[in-house]
Amino acid sequence: MSGLNPQQREAIHYLDGPLLVLAGAGSGKTRVITQKIAYLVQDCGFQPRNVAAITFTNKAAKEMQERIGKLLSRSTAEELQISTFHSLGVRILREEARALGYKPRFSIFDAADCAGIIGDIAKTVDKGTLRHLQSIISNWKNALVTPEAARQFASNEHEALAAHAYLSYEATLKAYQAMDFDDLIGLPVVLFQQHPEIAEKWQNRLRYLLVDEYQDTNACQYQLLKLLTGVRAQFTAVGDDDQAIYGWRGADIENLKKLPNEFPALKVIKLEQNYRSTVRILKAANNVISHNEKLFDKKLWSELGHGDQITVTACKDNEVEAESVVMKLQAHRFEHRGKFRDYAILYRSNHQARGFEQHLRNHKIPYLLSGGKSFFDKAEVKDITAYLRLLTNEDDDPAFIRAATTPKRGIGAATLQVLGQYAGERHVSLFHAAFEEGFAQRVQARQLEPLLEFCNFINRIQFRASREPAQQVLPDLLGAIDYETYLYDQEEERTAQARWANVCEFNNWLSSRGEEEGKTLIDLTQSIALINRLDKQGNDEADMVQLSTLHAAKGLEYKHVFLVGVEEGILPHRESLDPAKLEEERRLMYVGITRAQRSLHLSYCERRKQAREFVPSEASRFIAEMGKEDIRFSGGKDAALPDKATGSARLDAMKALLSGNKR
């Protein structure tokens, strides 16, 4: 444990009761968690299978697993329970499903599957409305609000519609023997509350809990943790009240406030030494966050030197801002001989990225857009993939439902609900249940006929898919389901054309791959999920400028950060000006500042183009809160053009210098 500071060592060794570690940005919290896990196993006699570490993202869980792998033997590390909240929920529910009336092989529906159900119930296809309804229902579930209670809480038209849909939505999911992502945490809470003996079983199995990013927990996650730790309360919660930025999706900073009250023996240890950023950057961050009401007093400090001055540039408009940032980034990179991946452009909202993307492309600068949609995540590609998944695995219930209803073929929600109930009772898949006589007796002939027609069609294609080349079977599948006509019936012509082009691209990709590798459609389908996963994870080390929202950048760090659009109405957001929301916006600014290791550059516009008009804008109040001592201000109406010219000349000179050095 060499190289640890006294507070980190104390947090690792403390086992006398519940512990809250207030870990400031860049203070080495992941190191504390991993070292504590090693200490529990190696020095304290805990069995690795009895230690659980819970994170919020697969990426964080993977990083933790990799770090642990360097401290413990491989076999020991693999026994540890390191997972996200959702993965832990799945593990509990797979084992205990029958206690809640589910089969162990219940289906997990993604957002698109759930939107389809809600759309049918609410009788709408409007994507904005569906997203809003999903969000309201999700927030209710995360706050442990039942469908019955939701009807009383509904305070406006949208909430009333959501409350009406919520009850039917839950019934439909149960009938399908399916759960959504919120259920993966909510149902274990219900399970433990209704079955104390099962709760005790899991408390004995998970004897020590470590929770990362505790400030991001919602009401449901908080209850799950309380039920898992039980009266022993053997846990370490690691979090930072200054980085609580997910209130909009149900995270509740009150969970931090509750801890000292609900666990009177709680020990609090603060990690305030920052190993990431220079003194100037931390000073600005501390200044900003000091304007918030504090749950716990904490002040970050660093031994990494003063570092460069922070720059704040006023730009004429958003076009000038985008050009200026890209030009400065390029010049800075030449001057410091840096890599593209050392740089990040961070913004409040996704729509701000467009101008920066354009100028990066113009300058031939490679970039990675955080949260960009994978090709395999497009709805039309997922539709076709559902058929392929079902061909590969008849027990894949989500694939069955998606394929059976897209395009629509006379198989209604009522039929599928009866099928789901019957399959749950018999503990078989929906596909197999459809052929059983017991199910046939529960539905009318007109309901049964299209269902059997679909299942027999799948059987016929399945026979071919395991024997014939992919390039022969896939076009026949697309023709048989008439997917092209379905798209043109559903969408406007241009949209349908674009979506069909994606399907054709998918078809061509699979067909050519099948031809090159001599693989059947079944063989290829089994690799699609893996390819998709790699598509999402394989860009970590790519030498690209990172474009990201502030929310998505949390937990990450970059040598050089450009924080853009720091204006009133954007950061803080115009809809977040009441005191509680303003504090969260300030925490978001704090997160943005503390992503920077070596240099920080802020920019704002004096006017911003919205639609076809320019609207006056002004610097965010958060810039003034940073203090002026360590900041160099530039730009504005008069300085915009000279700055641009100077920057271009400087860049040209550097390029010439570098090309001369290469000769």
Side-chain angles (χ1 to χ4, degrees), residues 556-628:
L556 304 175
E557 58 186 36
Y558 306 96
K559 284 185 181 175
H560 312 288
V561 167
F562 288 85
L563 185 50
V564 302
V566 190
E567 297 154 34
E568 289 292 308
I570 296 179
L571 183 66
H573 195 274
R574 61 181 176 274
E575 293 176 6
S576 305
L577 297 181
D578 69 71
K581 287 182 177 177
L582 183 62
E583 288 207 343
E584 181 156 322
E585 291 290 297
R586 187 173 281 113
R587 292 194 290 269
L588 193 57
M589 177 74 174
Y590 175 85
V591 165
I593 294 170
T594 54
R595 296 315 90 197
Q597 295 173 299
R598 297 290 172 265
S599 74
L600 177 64
H601 311 271
L602 283 74
S603 57
Y604 68 93
C605 300
E606 294 178 325
R607 60 175 193 169
R608 185 167 287 275
K609 196 170 187 179
Q610 294 179 2
R612 295 184 179 182
E613 294 184 357
F614 282 100
V615 177
S617 52
E618 59 183 276
S620 167
R621 69 192 72 189
F622 300 150
I623 291 177
E625 290 175 4
M626 290 167 67
K628 294 182 177 180

Side-chain angles (χ1 to χ4, degrees), residues 350 368-375 377 535-536 547:
N350 274 309
L368 180 65
L369 189 65
S370 175
K373 202 172 194 180
S374 162
F375 178 75
D377 284 336
D535 188 39
K536 290 177 176 177
L547 268 68

Side-chain angles (χ1 to χ4, degrees), residues 42-224:
Q42 291 176 325
D43 299 83
C44 303
F46 279 82
Q47 294 297 312
R49 64 180 176 275
N50 297 140
V51 178
I54 306 172
T55 71
F56 274 81
T57 65
N58 288 319
K59 187 175 179 181
K62 186 184 172 190
E63 183 191 350
M64 203 173 287
Q65 193 80 53
E66 285 171 354
R67 291 207 196 183
I68 283 286
K70 295 173 182 174
L71 301 172
L72 301 172
S73 69
R74 185 176 175 182
S75 59
T76 302
E78 285 174 352
E79 280 191 69
L80 294 163
Q81 310 293 316
I82 298 176
S83 67
T84 62
F85 274 99
H86 292 95
S87 302
L88 176 62
V90 169
R91 193 155 70 248
I92 294 168
L93 290 166
R94 290 284 184 217
E95 194 168 320
E96 313 293 350
R98 286 190 173 89
L100 290 170
Y102 288 85
K103 61 183 183 181
R105 289 187 305 180
F106 59 83
S107 301
I108 301 170
F109 281 9
D110 65 15
D113 297 324
C114 297
I117 296 171
I118 293 170
D120 287 343
I121 296 166
K123 295 182 172 53
T124 180
V125 293
D126 181 71
K127 288 178 181 173
T129 303
L130 280 175
R131 276 197 300 271
H132 196 43
L133 292 176
Q134 273 186 286
S135 174
I136 294 170
I137 292 171
S138 178
N139 284 338
W140 278 334
K141 284 188 154 191
N142 289 329
L144 296 170
V145 175
T146 63
E148 294 75 19
R151 294 194 170 206
Q152 297 175 354
F153 287 151
S155 59
N156 55 49
E157 189 181 337
H158 273 294
E159 287 186 359
L161 182 59
H164 170 73
Y166 188 8
L167 190 64
S168 300
Y169 171 67
E170 291 290 86
T172 304
L173 283 177
K174 187 69 183 282
Y176 288 170
Q177 286 286 294
M179 300 178 191
D180 62 19
F181 283 120
D182 297 319
D183 289 330
L184 301 180
I185 300 167
L187 286 177
V189 171
V190 173
L191 173 77
F192 291 158
Q193 287 172 339
Q194 292 179 353
H195 301 274
E197 73 286 358
I198 296 177
E200 190 178 356
K201 172 183 145 185
W202 282 88
Q203 288 164 9
N204 289 329
R205 187 178 297 183
L206 305 176
R207 299 187 73 84
Y208 200 96
L209 254 64
L210 300 100
V211 187
D212 192 15
E213 304 286 7
Y214 181 78
Q215 77 281 349
D216 294 335
T217 54
N218 56 40
C220 195
Q221 289 159 337
Y222 181 75
Q223 285 303 320
L224 180 60

Side-chain angles (χ1 to χ4, degrees), residues 132 142 208 363 490 513 654:
H132 196 43
N142 289 329
Y208 200 96
H363 285 272
Q490 289 285 115
R513 192 168 173 133
M654 286 178 191

